[in-house]
Amino acid sequence: IMSAILVSGVVSLTLTPMMCSRFLRPHQAGGERHGSLFNLFERLQQGLTNGYGRTLQMVLRHKLATVAVSLALLVGTVYLAIVIPKGFLPSEDIAQINGTTEAIEGASYESMMEHQVQVAKILQDDPYVAYVLSQVGSFGRSLNQGQVSIFLKPRSQRPQVDQVIQELRPKLAAVPGITVYLRNDPPVRIGGIQSKALYQFTLQGASTSELFAASQDFLSKMQQLPGLVDVTSDLQIKNPQINVVIDRDKSSTLGVTANQVENALYSAYGFRQVSTIFAPNNQYRVILELQPQYQRDANELASLYVRSKSGQLVPLSAVAKLTSTFGPLSVNHLGQLPAVTMSFNLKPGTSIGDAVNEINDLARRSLPATVGTSFQGTAQAFQSSLSGLGMLLIMAILVIYIVLGILYESFIHPITILSGLPSAGFGALLTLELFHLAAQKGWVSPLLDMELNLYGFVGVVMLIGIVKKNAIMMIDFALAAQRSENKDAAEAIYQGCLVRFRPIMMTTMAALMGTLPIALGFGAGAESRRSLGISVVGGLIFSQAVTLFLNPVVYIYLEQAKNWSTRVFGKKRRGVAEAVPTTRGHVGGGAIGTPMARAAGPQLSDLERENRR
């Protein structure tokens, strides 16, 4: 945007004047004749200008009511900024869905494969799916987890990707023994850990027992929040395991060491490579393992034999005690502390801002003080950006005020120009809120459920630059009329509004036509950009109807305030100058008691006297 503005500034100062010198012709009465279309637009423009002039006269007779409306718009803008649903990066339709599958802890590879094939079969049979990639236990996952990558058909043959996910969830829930978590990953992934859902909330604590207990209780409460779906955690502490406790006395009597027991277990259940078969075109590893029927039954572990130092085979049950129990499949850490990460998705119509507030409130009410919390990934980036965007907007307005103050050499005229910004913000936020409410009521498509996300905030910042140019055109003309034609503020601003009404309408319509395709949402990834277009279009339409009447009123009031301050403080300065005592002459020369000159400085030029007057 900045680069485009700089280039357009150079073009307007160089190319545009040259083209005007070549194409514009002086107006001659009765000379050039225009067609009917030109005359139609001219009559329409003239009618709008006349109507605007009559309406402006009525508004200028009720200036206090106009200021009251302006203050109400400011209050409404603040209220909408608080209550509007807030998001970060909107979801886009890139024709792909990623999913994580999870079976019970301790599930075997063969059992996981059977369930994974059933899931892939259901996905492949869906009419909106082109093809599916399925994996088990890959990318550092445990054997009870898998991954599916679903590639969808073109947009013309299916609905939007979020709707496809909603239709697939009940179909996949019918597969017993496995849970499928589907997500529409954003094109830009921001931090976080690989999880089963889009957003993460992490719990940390020094004591694993206290952390695990608090995490299980918090997970059950978090699953009851109305706006969340696919709520799960990476806590896996119920993995079936067998503890092998070696009887040191018996093992030493039979000549069996602990190292031999470990080697026997690794040879039976590990990944021990004993040889390599070299073929002409490939090579194959030879892995030592038990037969599959002995791997599936934990009781067969007692029948395992260990070779002693003397070469005899000793049953494992003779030198060790086998006990069945449960334990953690893995203990995750974040930094230096054990951590449990809750992952969740959002239901349609729920914003990440509302979800963050609900989870934080639940954590304050239910978690002990020894357990720390933090959001990760996109949710964490949303939290940090939410606190910085408001300050960014304030700083942008402050910089604009300073620049305008330097250009106009005035403290009050930048306030006149910036007075229309609340109406632009109110129009943008109101448009987004209306689309959100309409989508919640089912009056419009769920794709039009708008929120104030990062793109929408960019649209609000763009409005600052677009809307203030209306006031600049009016006020610049009014200032010139006051200085050159000695007109009062009301007459000057009224004439400036009428003269500049046409270019104001032209530039606003050009901005609307340029932003309308973004608001309508055409092309790939249009869903993410639609909030930007809708905020700009809504803000432009509303602010155009307000600033054409508000800025003249503010200009008149500020000019009156400036004249009043000049009269009051000017009299004080003149009074001080008149009260200066007379000078006394030196002894032996000159008159004594000659009054001091009352001139306040050197002689003024004609222009300085005019400006001061």
Side-chain angles (χ1 to χ4, degrees):
I1 296 173
M2 293 175 60
S3 301
I5 291 175
L6 291 175
V7 172
S8 66
V10 174
V11 170
S12 63
L13 295 175
T14 56
L15 179 63
T16 303
M18 185 276 296
M19 296 179 67
C20 290
S21 67
R22 295 295 183 268
F23 292 100
L24 293 185
R25 296 289 182 268
H27 178 72
Q28 298 179 0
E32 184 180 1
R33 300 184 60 183
H34 297 284
S36 57
L37 183 62
F38 178 89
N39 294 328
L40 175 63
F41 278 106
E42 283 297 311
R43 288 193 298 270
L44 179 62
Q45 178 64 37
Q46 189 61 40
L48 290 174
T49 304
N50 295 335
Y52 171 62
R54 290 190 296 270
T55 309
L56 182 59
Q57 289 178 351
M58 182 180 62
V59 170
L60 294 179
R61 289 194 295 267
H62 302 83
K63 293 189 288 294
L64 286 177
T66 306
V67 174
V69 172
S70 175
L71 296 176
L73 290 177
L74 179 60
V75 175
T77 303
V78 176
Y79 173 76
L80 286 176
I82 296 174
V83 302
I84 191 171
K86 299 175 181 63
F88 186 56
L89 290 176
S91 61
E92 294 187 17
D93 191 341
I94 58 175
Q96 181 178 348
I97 301 173
N98 296 319
T100 301
T101 59
E102 185 177 42
I104 60 173
E105 300 172 35
S108 64
Y109 178 77
E110 290 78 8
S111 174
M112 187 64 191
M113 279 296 300
E114 293 177 1
H115 291 87
Q116 191 82 359
V117 169
Q118 296 181 41
V119 170
K121 180 67 168 55
I122 293 177
L123 294 174
Q124 192 63 61
D125 293 340
D126 190 86
Y128 305 135
V129 175
Y131 58 95
V132 180
L133 299 180
S134 177
Q135 303 173 14
V136 172
S138 58
F139 301 106
R141 301 178 185 271
S142 56
L143 286 179
N144 71 320
Q145 290 184 349
Q147 184 178 4
V148 289
S149 298
I150 309 166
F151 298 89
L152 304 178
K153 294 180 180 180
R155 283 292 304 270
S156 59
Q157 304 177 22
R158 59 171 178 83
Q160 205 266 345
V161 62
D162 292 332
Q163 185 176 347
V164 175
I165 291 178
Q166 297 298 326
E167 295 181 6
L168 287 176
R169 280 193 176 120
K171 297 179 182 179
L172 298 174
V175 181
I178 191 171
T179 305
V180 184
Y181 303 96
L182 299 178
R183 61 187 185 274
N184 179 20
D185 289 332
V188 180
R189 182 175 180 84
I190 302 177
I193 60 177
Q194 186 67 31
S195 62
K196 290 168 278 189
L198 285 178
Y199 308 100
Q200 301 92 34
F201 184 69
T202 299
L203 279 62
Q204 287 182 283
S207 173
T208 55
S209 59
E210 185 176 2
L211 174 65
F212 292 164
S215 300
Q216 293 178 2
D217 178 67
F218 186 77
L219 177 64
S220 61
K221 294 180 180 179
M222 192 172 168
Q223 290 173 338
Q224 298 175 4
L225 294 179
L228 307 184
V229 69
D230 294 337
V231 181
T232 182
S233 74
D234 61 355
L235 181 63
Q236 301 188 65
I237 58 175
K238 297 181 180 180
N239 183 50
Q241 64 184 23
I242 296 178
N243 293 335
V244 180
V245 181
I246 301 175
D247 190 334
R248 300 290 178 171
D249 296 332
K250 289 184 179 181
S251 61
S252 60
T253 302
L254 298 175
V256 177
T257 63
N259 188 34
Q260 290 172 328
V261 174
E262 292 176 359
N263 287 332
L265 292 174
Y266 184 70
S267 299
Y269 301 102
F271 194 79
R272 186 182 295 278
Q273 181 179 351
V274 296
S275 179
T276 303
I277 300 176
F278 296 95
N281 298 324
N282 207 341
Q283 61 183 20
Y284 304 93
R285 298 176 181 178
V286 180
I287 306 301
L288 180 64
E289 63 178 11
L290 292 178
Q291 293 184 2
Q293 62 268 26
Y294 299 110
Q295 295 179 0
R296 298 189 182 99
D297 191 359
N299 296 324
E300 297 293 340
L301 186 62
S303 303
L304 190 65
Y305 283 84
V306 182
R307 190 172 296 278
S308 64
K309 294 180 180 179
S310 60
Q312 295 181 350
L313 294 176
V314 178
L316 181 62
S317 57
V319 296
K321 182 180 179 180
L322 307 179
T323 57
S324 300
T325 183
F326 295 93
L329 186 61
S330 62
V331 178
N332 299 308
H333 288 74
L334 183 63
Q336 300 296 324
L337 294 176
V340 178
T341 299
M342 312 290 176
S343 55
F344 60 94
N345 289 324
L346 303 177
K347 288 184 178 179
T350 303
S351 65
I352 181 61
D354 296 337
V356 166
N357 294 334
E358 291 179 356
I359 294 174
N360 281 331
D361 182 66
L362 179 62
R364 285 192 295 266
R365 290 187 283 105
S366 59
L367 289 177
T370 55
V371 177
T373 63
S374 63
F375 284 93
Q376 301 296 322
T378 304
Q380 183 186 29
F382 165 77
Q383 269 194 318
S384 60
S385 67
L386 192 63
S387 59
L389 291 179
M391 182 58 63
L392 177 65
L393 185 62
I394 295 175
M395 293 301 297
I397 297 175
L398 179 61
V399 170
I400 293 174
Y401 173 81
I402 294 174
V403 173
L404 291 176
I406 295 173
L407 295 176
Y408 281 102
E409 298 181 353
S410 171
F411 290 102
I412 64 170
H413 292 309
I415 299 177
T416 309
I417 296 172
L418 297 176
S419 62
L421 296 185
S423 63
F426 182 83
L429 298 178
L430 179 63
T431 306
L432 294 175
E433 180 68 15
L434 290 177
F435 273 95
H436 170 71
L437 295 177
Q440 294 293 315
K441 297 291 185 179
W443 298 339
V444 296
S445 170
L447 298 177
L448 296 177
D449 191 353
M450 294 291 106
E451 59 186 10
L452 183 60
N453 52 37
L454 191 61
Y455 293 100
F457 188 84
V458 171
V460 174
V461 176
M462 288 177 59
L463 280 173
I464 296 177
I466 298 175
V467 171
K468 66 181 178 61
K469 54 88 183 169
N470 294 352
I472 289 175
M473 285 191 283
M474 291 187 295
I475 292 170
D476 187 69
F477 185 94
L479 290 175
Q482 282 187 273
R483 291 171 181 171
S484 62
E485 303 177 16
N486 295 329
K487 295 183 177 181
D488 61 357
E491 184 181 359
I493 192 62
Y494 178 76
Q495 183 180 358
C497 290
L498 295 183
V499 173
R500 295 297 173 89
F501 178 72
R502 183 182 188 123
I504 288 175
M505 294 297 296
M506 290 170 59
T507 53
T508 302
M509 290 301 298
L512 280 174
M513 293 300 103
T515 316
L516 196 59
I518 304 177
L520 296 177
F522 294 117
E527 298 84 2
S528 62
R529 301 188 300 270
R530 187 177 283 124
S531 58
L532 187 152
I534 288 179
S535 63
V536 173
V537 170
L540 279 177
I541 294 176
F542 190 84
S543 64
Q544 182 75 354
V546 174
T547 56
L548 286 174
F549 304 99
L550 174 63
N551 287 332
V553 172
V554 176
Y555 180 83
I556 294 174
Y557 274 127
L558 290 180
E559 281 290 315
Q560 292 175 353
K562 184 185 73 171
N563 295 334
W564 174 83
S565 64
T566 301
R567 290 194 301 270
V568 172
F569 295 105
K571 289 181 179 179
K572 290 183 178 179
R573 286 195 293 268
R574 289 194 296 270
V576 171
E578 291 172 355
V580 174
T582 60
T583 61
R584 294 184 181 273
H586 296 286
V587 177
I592 299 177
T594 303
M596 294 182 62
R598 296 182 181 180
Q603 187 69 21
L604 300 180
S605 65
D606 295 338
L607 179 60
E608 289 174 333
R609 280 198 300 270
E610 178 64 21
N611 289 336
R612 178 164 293 185
R613 188 186 65 79

